[in-house]
Amino acid sequence: MATVLMCRRIPRLSRAAALSTTAKREAEHGSSKSEQEEKDNPGTANTGSESTATIQLLNPLDYRVLYNPSAYARGRAGSHQHLDRDSGQALGDTLTSPGVAQAPQAFSSASSRTLPPIRRALSKSKSSSNTLLQQTILAALSKEEAEKEKWEVHDSREDPRVFQKGRPEYRSLSCDSSEPAQPLPAEEGDSILDSVAACEGSPGSITDHFQRLSRLPAERRAGLASEPGFDALCHCAVRAIRLFSTPDLIHVLKSCVLLAVPPAHPLLDACEGEFCRRAWDMELEQLLLVADCWRCLERSVPSYLSILFSFANLHWKDLTLPQFVQLVYIIGEGRRSPADLAQKVESTILKYLDSFTLEELGAICLGLFKSVSGISDHVMRRIADRVSLQMEDMSTYALVNVLKMLRYTRMDHLPLLKELGKVIPERIPTVNIQGIMHITLTYSSLHYFDEGVLAAVATSLPPRVSYCRSKDAAKFLWSFGCLDYEPPNEEEFYSSLIKQIHRKLHEFKKFPEHLLTALLGLAFVKRFPEELIDYALREDFVQKTRSSKYELNKDLFTLGKSVEIECPTYRGNRLPPQLCQEFAEMALSFAEQEIYVRPEIVEATSLLESVLGGPEYVKNHMILPHTRSSDLEVRLATDGHPIPFNFKGLVAARKLRDVGVSLTDDLMAQLIKGRARGRPPVEAENEGGTPRQERGDEAGSKPKPGRCPGAPPSFPQPGEVRLALQVSNRNHYCHSSKRLLGLHCMKRRQLRHLGYVVVELPFWEWFPLLRRSRSEKLSYLHYKVFDPALLGGA
């Protein structure tokens, strides 16, 4: 711990080395952990005679393990029927079987914090009468830990299907992959396979054999695929495939699900071809059921899905509510978004909006999100309206799915976000890591700051950080950095995540975007783990980013230049100068088209020229190209007189004036009230990609001749004060607040580091002034530039 604390005295460098030292000490002094836990949990373990009393409080006969296969706790925080949060069960979960541990004697996953003291108490008991009790409890504890791990793991196949348990109609639309209601004894398997030769290719007999085999116990079904008798049965089915009735063929396919037939099995090839051939003669209910079977078998069937979607398009008016939800689920699992169904999907959502269960609403959002389906602001707002009113009764899994779509559509629905801040913090301890990641990423994507939620996440994360994938760890670091939030347990929070990044370093060879995401999130809050930075700037890793399907050049540029400015003692790998030049030229091209011509910046530039005496006294450019936003640079002598430095400013000024941007009423309304509804400020995020749209959309400028491309500017000369005026906008701040986002905090920090005085023209002051008289605007800018406090401070 002392090693970690020492890092605060230097500019937050070499933290990775400190962490590895801490880990080594923990390994050398393993017993200290349990001793610390005893201190943190007073009363959970006592010595001497009191240990027996502690054991007597535990009743192993009442111990029941709670198993919840969902990815996230399906809780209702405000339900009157909820169990205690420490029971480890989903709160108020109506889908959980009755009779789960409600007695105070029952163990819980949350109670695992007290397990080491119990183990010590048991080890001290030498009475033979307690031997059985000790063995029972230790076995229960091991089982508890195993169940806790299952609870953390996301089941991507089963979790999205929870909505199917909410209505009986789904039984005819979906394949039940649970154990058969009337299982056959395992010994019947041999007799069933021995009788295959007698079936003589009869479709009815073949179907019967498959159905009977699917009723065998799971351990007997597991080895069937390698047995000759089963192989012979499959060959019989393939030869007779055209002779099956559609219901019999569906029974065979459903049996294949329970028999766990491999996705590429020849029998499934034949079944897919036959279902495609007869699809237009099937009922919609049958088509949806078959599609669900393919999903359970994890087989990709694009041709079949195309037919299903075309069939649904023709029979859209006949879709019932369950059929519609099941169709959207299939669309999502197939990762396909039929363009001709988009409008119909939206109208049907509005038609049934008040009739959907909350789980169905979550399933619809997940289907739209997975298929990258666009949805109008109006429909998303209607969905959010309903969720905000019933959030306490909604499972966390369904709620997270709604948040994914909210994030995708960039919908800043304040009632939902405010209600989320009330409901979600107490659920965080029962939500698994992936669910917490999506909740956190929603806040950062929407630039919405809620300290209560973020603090709950930060508290819950360190003990469970081993469950983080590389993506999860990266998104946590990005989200906290984006919102410029360092929690009360910041050292524990950041050190645990950096350690996990080190453990997952091999994964970044396949997903380089996640490492850049993590390191930029850390850079925003002035943390630079040198070993990881050195790895990210290695030539081979840079080449991986260059060949990625995501645009990572801006991220590399931002990271490399930030290290150059803020880490003067860093001696690791750096970006090659030719890459910096390439990135700078790309940035300049974008800036000239999208940034320098923004009306609020053009107006400020023109008026500053009048205040200071001409275009040679002000320069509209990017002082730090890697931070992707423009600056209005002004230079003053210490006596307050402006210094001319932009001698190419006359040409640039004419060029900008020729653009002819008009401050129309509509444009002014957009500037003052925010973006136009039809045009999001940044592109929507594909979940698998680097969240670069959350880092701003502004780029760099062309490097000055005579110095390294993209290199930081020189420091001010003696007797000179350099001002960097920031014309900010809403995208630089957290939603509905004056809390600056991490990227812009970092930019201003780096400008100050290079000797600039940062002066802001905040949007809440400057945008309303754009409607006022020229004299008022000139007066405002004069005050900003010639503020005596600036010169005195410089």
Side-chain angles (χ1 to χ4, degrees), residues 270-574:
C271 287
E272 180 185 354
E274 185 60 20
F275 277 120
C276 287
R277 188 185 69 82
R278 64 175 74 184
W280 289 101
D281 297 321
M282 294 166 61
E283 300 292 331
L284 180 59
E285 186 176 88
Q286 294 175 321
L287 290 170
L288 290 170
L289 173 56
V290 170
D292 197 68
C293 290
W294 293 131
R295 172 63 189 127
C296 292
L297 288 163
E298 298 185 339
R299 180 181 171 95
S300 176
V301 287
S303 297
Y304 179 84
L305 291 182
S306 293
I307 298 172
L308 168 62
F309 299 152
S310 297
F311 189 100
N313 193 26
L314 290 176
H315 299 82
W316 195 264
K317 293 182 179 179
D318 301 327
L319 259 66
T320 64
L321 185 153
Q323 288 174 343
F324 169 73
V325 178
Q326 181 70 12
L327 177 63
V328 175
Y329 162 74
I330 294 298
I331 289 173
E333 297 305 301
R335 303 304 198 273
R336 294 189 54 197
S337 176
D340 53 348
L341 294 183
Q343 188 59 47
K344 292 181 178 180
V345 167
E346 285 204 6
S347 61
T348 307
I349 290 175
L350 294 176
K351 175 183 176 182
Y352 291 125
L353 184 60
D354 294 331
S355 302
F356 292 130
T357 66
L358 295 172
E359 293 301 318
E360 288 172 332
L361 209 53
I364 290 170
C365 287
L366 182 60
L368 295 173
F369 181 80
K370 284 185 173 182
S371 60
V372 198
S373 300
I375 187 173
S376 68
D377 281 3
H378 173 66
V379 174
M380 190 65 239
R381 191 166 294 279
R382 289 287 306 278
I383 292 174
D385 285 342
R386 183 178 171 197
V387 170
S388 64
L389 295 175
Q390 296 181 280
M391 191 178 295
E392 288 190 352
D393 299 321
M394 195 171 197
S395 76
T396 308
Y397 183 76
L399 178 57
V400 167
N401 291 336
V402 173
L403 295 182
K404 289 179 181 179
M405 203 58 198
L406 201 73
R407 188 174 85 226
Y408 178 79
T409 57
R410 311 294 298 180
M411 173 64 66
D412 51 349
H413 193 281
L414 292 183
L416 185 147
L417 291 170
K418 289 178 180 178
E419 187 66 19
L420 190 65
K422 300 175 184 177
V423 170
I424 211 65
E426 67 177 18
R427 295 195 193 184
I428 290 294
T430 64
V431 181
N432 92 327
I433 286 296
Q434 291 188 42
I436 298 174
M437 181 272 287
H438 282 294
I439 292 168
T440 310
L441 189 58
T442 297
Y443 280 94
S444 65
S445 296
L446 300 179
H447 297 171
Y448 189 83
F449 180 79
D450 187 313
E451 187 169 8
V453 173
L454 295 178
V457 170
T459 301
S460 176
L461 190 61
R464 302 156 62 186
V465 75
S466 61
Y467 294 103
C468 284
R469 303 165 297 170
S470 58
K471 175 181 177 179
D472 300 323
K475 294 297 177 69
F476 280 123
L477 290 172
W478 165 260
S479 297
F480 276 67
C482 176
L483 297 172
D484 191 42
Y485 178 64
E486 296 195 81
N489 63 333
E490 62 173 290
E491 291 302 334
E492 181 189 23
F493 174 79
Y494 281 109
S495 64
S496 66
L497 283 170
I498 292 173
K499 283 182 182 179
Q500 186 66 2
I501 293 290
H502 275 277
R503 295 187 196 103
K504 297 291 184 179
L505 204 57
H506 62 282
E507 294 184 11
F508 297 117
K509 295 178 181 179
K510 186 175 180 181
F511 305 106
E513 64 274 9
H514 295 330
L515 182 56
L516 293 182
T517 295
L519 292 177
L520 283 177
L522 287 167
F524 292 163
V525 291
K526 203 178 179 182
R527 292 173 182 265
F528 298 92
E530 292 188 354
E531 292 180 16
L532 294 176
I533 292 169
D534 182 62
Y535 182 88
L537 298 181
R538 275 172 24 183
E539 183 179 355
D540 59 337
F541 189 84
V542 169
Q543 288 305 314
K544 287 184 182 298
T545 66
R546 302 279 281 165
S547 59
S548 171
K549 63 180 179 179
Y550 303 109
E551 171 54 59
L552 303 178
N553 292 338
K554 293 191 298 184
D555 302 336
L556 274 174
F557 195 32
T558 302
L559 177 63
K561 290 303 171 183
S562 294
V563 171
E564 186 176 331
I565 295 172
E566 299 201 59
C567 305
T569 61
Y570 173 74
R571 295 295 179 265
N573 287 302
R574 296 183 183 274

Side-chain angles (χ1 to χ4, degrees), residues 216-236:
L216 293 172
E219 60 274 10
R220 181 67 182 89
R221 298 197 308 266
L224 283 177
S226 60
E227 296 190 27
F230 183 74
D231 191 51
L233 179 62
C234 291
H235 277 91
C236 288

Side-chain angles (χ1 to χ4, degrees), residues 643-668:
I643 299 174
F645 68 100
N646 184 25
F647 298 107
K648 296 181 180 179
L650 291 172
V651 177
R654 291 193 193 101
K655 183 177 179 180
L656 286 175
R657 290 191 184 103
D658 290 342
V659 172
V661 178
S662 301
L663 292 175
T664 63
D665 288 343
D666 181 61
L667 181 57
M668 290 304 308

